[in-house]
């Protein structure tokens, strides 16, 4: 795909497109006027300056590269993102690259198959069909596909399901073959791996893209002494019982009540994050803990915020009820809403009725 650069905000007083072009060269994008092949169009979304030039350039490049598609064939394209919706099931954002996708078409995307139940466009409006280069969100697949999967509309559902079964079998085989078999050459390495501690992790996130990103970031943390092994990654709420001695990492998702009860009963560690860096840092420090214990987090109490009092000079005061343990002044505190950490801070002051106190106990 050719890159066309739109340099925006040209209406601002200090706008300096030359500086942007200079920075683009660091990413091997050399502007046309500097002898390269990347068109750079200065535009302003506010004053509409340069927008016609930008559109003209896009059409010109499409013509030169002969970027054509046939709308009168069965649809083919790419899965951009996918997620699991509580009410509607698997939802995939598809980009149609060739042909036209119609409501009711049978679609195969990676190892997912299904009939297009409903299609919505980028503005959330329902559409009956989508032609080349149109992105749509579809429902009706039997599972959540992977981002980047190629999808095809097919005429025969039975054949589609057979194809999917073959793909699943092949993926299983590849996974099995990727597990290292012992040979005399790698025997010593395998023995060394026996000494190596392994951190098993299960990743759950709101969308498939996040699953992949979290998974890859965590696997990169492996070092000589501790290997990070992501044994499962999936989309949707956390609903796992005894998780084969693994830590569950939730990204923008929350466990249901049953999962929490099961986890507590079977001592399964569930960690919830909304920022990827926090997740990586915490797992990294846990690994360092596996190497040599340094810090340990101890929950001394839990409180529920019942109402909020806004005071001009102070800010927001949380009127809370202590459910268990003790809440102490100067203690570190985490505010969690729907299983997602929304604040990480320290308690500055603590009051019970009118009195400033050092700690407040359960109840």
């Amino acid at each position: 795909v050719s890159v066309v650069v739109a340099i925006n905000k040209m209406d601002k007083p200090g706008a300096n497109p030359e500086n942007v072009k200079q920075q683009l060269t660091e990413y091997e994008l050399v502007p046309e006027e500097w002898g390269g092949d990347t068109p750079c169009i200065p535009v302003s979304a506010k004053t509409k300056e340069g927008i016609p030039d930008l559109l003209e350039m896009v059409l010109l490049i499409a013509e030169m590269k002969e970027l054509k598609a046939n709308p009168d064939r069965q649809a083919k394209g790419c899965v951009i993102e996918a997620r699991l919706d509580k009410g509607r099931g698997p939802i995939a954002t598809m980009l149609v690259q060739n042909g036209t996708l119609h409501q009711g078409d049978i679609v195969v995307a990676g190892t997912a198959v299904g009939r297009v139940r409903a299609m919505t466009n980028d503005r959330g409006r329902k559409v009956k069909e989508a032609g080349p280069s149109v992105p749509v969100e579809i429902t009706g697949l039997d599972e959540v596909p992977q981002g980047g999967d190629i999808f095809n509309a097919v005429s025969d559902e039975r054949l589609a399901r057979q194809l999917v079964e073959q793909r699943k079998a092949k993926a299983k085989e590849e996974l099995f073959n990727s597990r290292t078999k012992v040979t005399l050459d790698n025997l010593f390495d395998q023995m060394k791996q026996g000494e190596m501690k392994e951190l098993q992790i299960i990743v759950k996130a709101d969308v498939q893209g996040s699953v992949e990103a979290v998974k890859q970031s965590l696997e990169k943390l492996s070092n000589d002494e501790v290997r990070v092994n992501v044994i499962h990654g999936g989309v949707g709420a956390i609903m796992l019982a005894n998780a084969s001695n693994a830590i569950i990492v939730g990204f923008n998702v929350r466990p249901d009540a049953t999962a929490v009860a099961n986890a507590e009963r079977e001592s399964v560690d569930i960690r919830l994050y909304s920022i990827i860096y926090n997740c990586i840092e915490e797992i990294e420090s846990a690994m360092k803990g596996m190497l040599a214990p340094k810090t340990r987090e101890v929950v001394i109490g839990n409180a529920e915020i019942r109402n909020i009092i806004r005071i001009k000079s102070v800010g927001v005061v949380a009127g809370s009820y202590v459910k268990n343990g003790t809440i102490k002044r100067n203690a570190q505190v985490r505010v969690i809403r729907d299983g997602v950490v929304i604040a990480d801070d320290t308690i500055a002051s603590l009051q019970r009725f009118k009195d400033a106190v050092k700690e407040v106990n359960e109840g």
Side-chain angles (χ1 to χ4, degrees):
V1 177
S2 295
V3 176
V4 180
V5 179
I7 304 175
N8 191 26
K9 304 197 179 183
M10 283 295 114
D11 54 283
K12 290 215 162 180
N16 182 359
E18 296 307 310
N19 185 28
V20 177
K21 289 175 188 173
Q22 180 61 52
Q23 289 172 337
L24 284 171
T25 56
E26 294 169 21
Y27 297 94
E28 291 172 21
L29 294 174
V30 182
E32 278 184 336
E33 52 268 46
W34 292 5
D37 52 11
T38 307
C40 296
I41 322 288
V43 297
S44 162
K46 204 171 177 181
T47 66
K48 306 285 179 278
E49 166 208 338
I51 302 286
D53 303 342
L54 179 65
L55 297 176
E56 206 175 300
M57 184 55 75
V58 171
L59 288 174
L60 179 70
I61 285 181
E63 209 170 296
M64 278 165 57
K65 293 197 109 183
E66 294 187 356
L67 301 175
K68 293 189 178 87
N70 172 14
D72 304 321
R73 51 160 282 178
Q74 286 189 316
K76 176 179 188 282
C78 182
V79 178
I80 298 170
E81 183 55 280
R83 68 179 195 278
L84 192 63
D85 187 279
K86 212 172 187 180
R88 296 186 293 165
I91 291 180
T93 307
M94 311 275 212
L95 178 64
V96 182
Q97 292 169 321
N98 210 345
T100 302
L101 186 65
H102 306 90
Q103 198 173 332
D105 281 357
I106 297 153
V107 172
V108 178
T111 56
V113 67
R115 198 178 278 274
V116 179
R117 268 211 304 265
M119 282 198 290
T120 51
N121 64 9
D122 56 331
R123 298 185 178 185
R125 295 201 184 113
K126 284 205 168 174
V127 289
K128 293 271 187 244
E129 55 179 43
S133 85
V134 175
V136 280
E137 211 173 57
I138 73 155
T139 58
L141 293 171
D142 61 351
E143 61 175 72
V144 180
Q146 300 274 343
D149 277 349
I150 298 296
F151 81 84
N152 289 285
V154 292
S155 49
D156 188 332
E157 191 165 356
R158 202 165 54 89
L159 279 173
R161 294 202 180 272
Q162 276 179 356
L163 174 71
V164 163
E165 286 311 314
Q166 283 172 3
R167 282 182 183 174
K168 282 182 178 168
K170 194 178 169 196
K172 217 176 226 178
E173 205 175 299
E174 278 174 6
L175 185 72
F176 180 72
N177 290 340
S178 68
R179 301 265 158 89
T180 331
K181 309 274 191 298
V182 178
T183 65
L184 280 181
D185 297 333
N186 70 9
L187 181 65
F188 182 68
D189 292 340
Q190 295 280 45
M191 281 163 59
K192 256 172 71 178
Q193 272 186 11
E195 302 162 15
M196 187 170 90
K197 295 170 185 167
E198 190 170 66
L199 180 61
Q200 309 246 43
I201 292 178
I202 287 172
V203 176
K204 297 288 274 184
D206 52 347
V207 292
Q208 188 66 43
S210 301
V211 175
E212 291 305 312
V214 173
K215 198 171 154 181
Q216 285 172 10
S217 305
L218 292 177
E219 282 175 344
K220 278 184 197 154
L221 294 177
S222 300
N223 57 29
D224 299 343
E225 292 172 62
V226 181
R227 175 155 150 249
V228 178
N229 185 13
V230 178
I231 56 173
H232 174 73
V235 174
I238 298 164
M239 298 176 291
L240 285 161
N242 191 350
S244 60
N245 199 18
I247 290 172
I248 298 175
V249 169
F251 189 75
N252 275 345
V253 291
R254 59 181 302 232
D256 57 17
T258 333
V260 172
N262 285 347
E264 275 180 15
R265 191 176 65 244
E266 286 157 6
S267 314
V268 174
D269 192 5
I270 298 182
R271 297 293 171 119
L272 303 164
Y273 305 97
S274 57
I275 297 168
I276 204 161
Y277 306 117
N278 291 356
C279 168
I280 294 160
E281 271 175 27
E282 204 160 294
I283 301 286
E284 203 171 9
S285 52
M287 282 168 60
K288 285 175 184 159
M290 283 172 85
L291 308 178
K294 290 241 171 76
T295 56
R296 198 161 65 99
E297 189 179 287
V298 181
V299 177
I300 56 168
N302 287 305
E304 187 181 282
I305 298 172
R306 296 279 171 91
N307 65 4
I308 296 240
I309 309 139
R310 295 179 193 278
I311 300 171
K312 257 192 180 159
S313 57
V314 179
V316 184
V317 176
S320 311
Y321 180 80
V322 183
K323 295 190 105 175
N324 55 47
T326 309
I327 304 296
K328 297 183 177 179
R329 187 170 57 200
N330 298 334
Q332 293 193 306
V333 64
R334 216 177 251 142
V335 183
I336 297 174
R337 183 190 298 149
D338 288 342
V340 173
V341 179
I342 54 168
D344 224 326
D345 221 318
T346 307
I347 298 176
S349 69
L350 198 59
Q351 281 195 339
R352 188 157 183 272
F353 301 113
K354 295 271 159 102
D355 307 329
V357 290
K358 270 189 176 170
E359 60 181 60
V360 180
N361 292 324
E362 187 177 331

